[in-house]
Amino acid sequence: KNEVEQSPQNLTAQEGEFITINCSYSVGISALHWLQQHPGGGIVSLFMLSSGKKKHGRLIATINIQEKHSSLHITASHPRDSAVYICAVRLGDTGNQFYFGTGTSLTVIP
Amino acid sequence: DSGVTQTPKHLITATGQRVTLRCSPRSGDLSVYWYQQSLDQGLQFLIQYYNGEERAKGNILERFSAQQFPDLHSELNLSSLELGDSALYFCASSEGDRPIEAFFGQGTRLTVV
């Protein structure tokens, strides 16, 4: 069983829609990261969270430590948001390793 | 541009061969992390080096090894290659020994034929 589960696996949205991607994890973590992987393969780190909520432009990430759950929201989605979004957790006991979800493939249609 | 440089971008080689992937971290970053992304396994942590020393080890095969040099660049050596080793190999760097904020390279796509 994967320590990190993401949903949905695939998501298609119309331009302008509000999008939510979910991440659940089963172990204690010290931090959670949201990553964006573009079609060419490059990975960009979007957020690092250990509590609460962070906002960057049209992206919002939240985490609920008690419920072991995080969400990534995209407001006013745009075709350039099309990418794979990956949730990665840093376990509390290891500290140095990321464990990754399988990713959510998002396609935003004009 | 994350500031992390990986070379080569693409590599095609035959089974049984050995290859070396190179990573130059962001200026000032002491930690280098290696990850493998294959179609069936997703992203997996392989190994971390901090200031020249191995700091953490993940799912790295015995056929694979890595090192970090005094100038902080790192190399991942993959030997006795198998078809299943075909994957994207990412390097990331961070300032400290914990990946509080990690910056990823563009990856090296390895194809074993």
Side-chain angles (χ1 to χ4, degrees), chain A residues 2-5 23-34 47-52 62-71 87-101, chain B residues 98-100:
Chain A
N2 199 2
E3 290 90 349
V4 185
E5 301 281 350
C23 175
S24 296
Y25 50 92
S26 56
V27 294
I29 67 168
S30 56
L32 181 145
H33 296 245
W34 281 103
F47 293 106
M48 190 280 290
L49 295 160
S50 53
S51 64
T62 63
I63 188 168
N64 185 319
I65 298 294
Q66 286 74 29
E67 294 185 6
K68 293 188 168 60
H69 180 268
S70 175
S71 293
C87 170
V89 300
R90 180 151 53 89
L91 300 190
D93 57 347
T94 64
N96 288 358
Q97 297 188 30
F98 282 129
Y99 291 84
F100 299 90
Chain B
R98 296 288 177 101
I100 292 172

Side-chain angles (χ1 to χ4, degrees), chain A residues 30 33 35 37 39-45 48 86 90 92 94-102, chain B residues 33 35 37 42-45 48 55-58 88 90 97-102 104-106 109:
Chain A
S30 56
H33 296 245
L35 309 172
Q37 185 171 26
I43 292 179
V44 174
S45 179
M48 190 280 290
I86 301 169
R90 180 151 53 89
T94 64
N96 288 358
Q97 297 188 30
F98 282 129
Y99 291 84
F100 299 90
T102 51
Chain B
Y33 310 81
Y35 300 92
Q37 185 180 39
L43 265 167
Q44 289 198 84
F45 169 73
Q48 177 206 0
R55 185 56 65 102
K57 215 168 195 176
L88 260 173
F90 285 100
D97 68 344
R98 296 288 177 101
I100 292 172
E101 188 172 22
F104 284 79
Q106 290 294 301
R109 184 172 294 280

Side-chain angles (χ1 to χ4, degrees), chain B residues 30-108:
Chain B
L30 298 178
S31 273
V32 169
Y33 310 81
W34 285 99
Y35 300 92
Q36 180 194 54
Q37 185 180 39
S38 56
L39 278 175
D40 56 346
Q41 296 271 3
L43 265 167
Q44 289 198 84
F45 169 73
L46 295 178
I47 197 163
Q48 177 206 0
Y49 277 82
Y50 175 75
N51 204 20
E53 293 187 1
E54 183 184 302
R55 185 56 65 102
K57 215 168 195 176
N59 300 324
I60 187 166
L61 299 172
E62 283 191 15
R63 300 182 286 108
F64 296 179
S65 65
Q67 55 184 327
Q68 187 178 29
F69 295 86
D71 67 351
L72 301 176
H73 91 270
S74 178
E75 292 181 355
L76 179 67
N77 301 296
L78 314 176
S79 61
S80 302
L81 284 168
E82 302 175 0
L83 295 177
D85 297 328
S86 296
L88 260 173
Y89 290 84
F90 285 100
C91 162
S93 73
S94 67
E95 187 177 340
D97 68 344
R98 296 288 177 101
I100 292 172
E101 188 172 22
F103 296 84
F104 284 79
Q106 290 294 301
T108 293

